[in-house]
Amino acid sequence: MNNILTEENIKKLREELDYRMTVKRAEIAKEKLVAAAHGDRSENAEYKEACRNYRENDNRIQYLLTMISTATVIDDNNIDTSTLGINSKAKIRFVEDEFEDIITLVTTMDLDPENMKISIESDLGKALAGKKQGDIVEVIAPEEKYTVEILEIL
């Protein structure tokens, strides 16, 4: 995986992990006990649902552990503001169609394309990361290539 994350992202992941390993697991274990008391487990929909919830919770726990253990953690407090990086905001221009927009480069966890919060791990994010005002970059996306000019770092 090796996602680029901030300390705040790691903190959120650890909080969710702690919740899922303690509170959520206990809730599911209680659900299983109550459902098992209803009789034959082979035809007990409540018991099967509790088992499915247990598996989903365990899968999420494994995902969180992997995210935390493989993340590249960056210090977003010591960022060079003259180049684009995590939490940088910039006014850019898509050269081919003359369209201008303001984007913010964020971690995968904070991505919100509708509000132009672009993951630094996306094709556009990778192309812009480390670049300066005035730079023109070529973005190589799966289905197309396009050019973006960095008009201003905000």
Side-chain angles (χ1 to χ4, degrees):
M1 280 188 166
N2 207 19
N3 289 304
I4 299 169
L5 301 175
T6 64
E7 286 291 340
E8 183 63 27
N9 293 146
I10 294 293
K11 181 182 174 196
K12 287 178 185 175
L13 290 172
R14 285 191 174 129
E15 287 171 357
E16 182 183 351
L17 178 63
D18 182 54
Y19 167 77
R20 287 185 173 277
M21 291 182 81
T22 56
V23 176
K24 189 73 173 171
R25 269 191 175 165
E27 288 172 358
I28 294 169
K30 187 176 179 181
E31 285 175 23
K32 283 178 76 173
L33 281 173
V34 169
H38 291 224
D40 184 11
R41 293 181 186 172
S42 65
E43 295 183 21
N44 186 332
E46 289 175 358
Y47 183 78
K48 288 179 182 180
E49 178 69 14
C51 289
R52 188 183 64 73
N53 289 342
Y54 181 83
R55 283 189 305 276
E56 285 178 2
N57 189 54
D58 256 17
N59 289 340
R60 181 68 180 173
I61 287 170
Q62 289 306 312
Y63 170 79
L64 294 169
L65 287 168
T66 301
M67 284 285 287
I68 292 167
S69 67
T70 63
T72 300
V73 182
I74 59 142
D75 183 1
D76 59 342
N77 295 321
N78 296 326
I79 295 177
D80 177 6
T81 56
S82 68
T83 61
L84 289 172
I86 293 290
N87 296 326
S88 295
K89 197 174 240 187
K91 183 175 185 178
I92 62 171
R93 180 172 65 88
F94 295 88
V95 174
E96 286 80 6
D97 60 8
E98 297 292 321
F99 178 73
E100 293 182 8
D101 210 339
I102 294 175
I103 58 106
T104 305
L105 290 181
V106 296
T107 65
T108 301
M109 285 183 61
D110 299 321
L111 117 100
D112 181 4
E114 290 179 9
N115 292 309
M116 292 308 285
K117 290 185 177 183
I118 308 298
S119 169
I120 199 157
E121 297 178 46
S122 67
D123 296 322
L124 177 59
K126 287 177 188 174
L128 293 174
K131 302 300 187 278
K132 297 181 180 203
Q133 182 172 314
D135 286 353
I136 298 174
V137 298
E138 183 177 63
V139 180
I140 302 170
E143 297 177 16
E144 64 179 323
K145 285 185 188 179
Y146 55 95
T147 309
V148 174
E149 179 181 5
I150 302 167
L151 301 174
E152 182 180 1
I153 295 179
L154 307 170

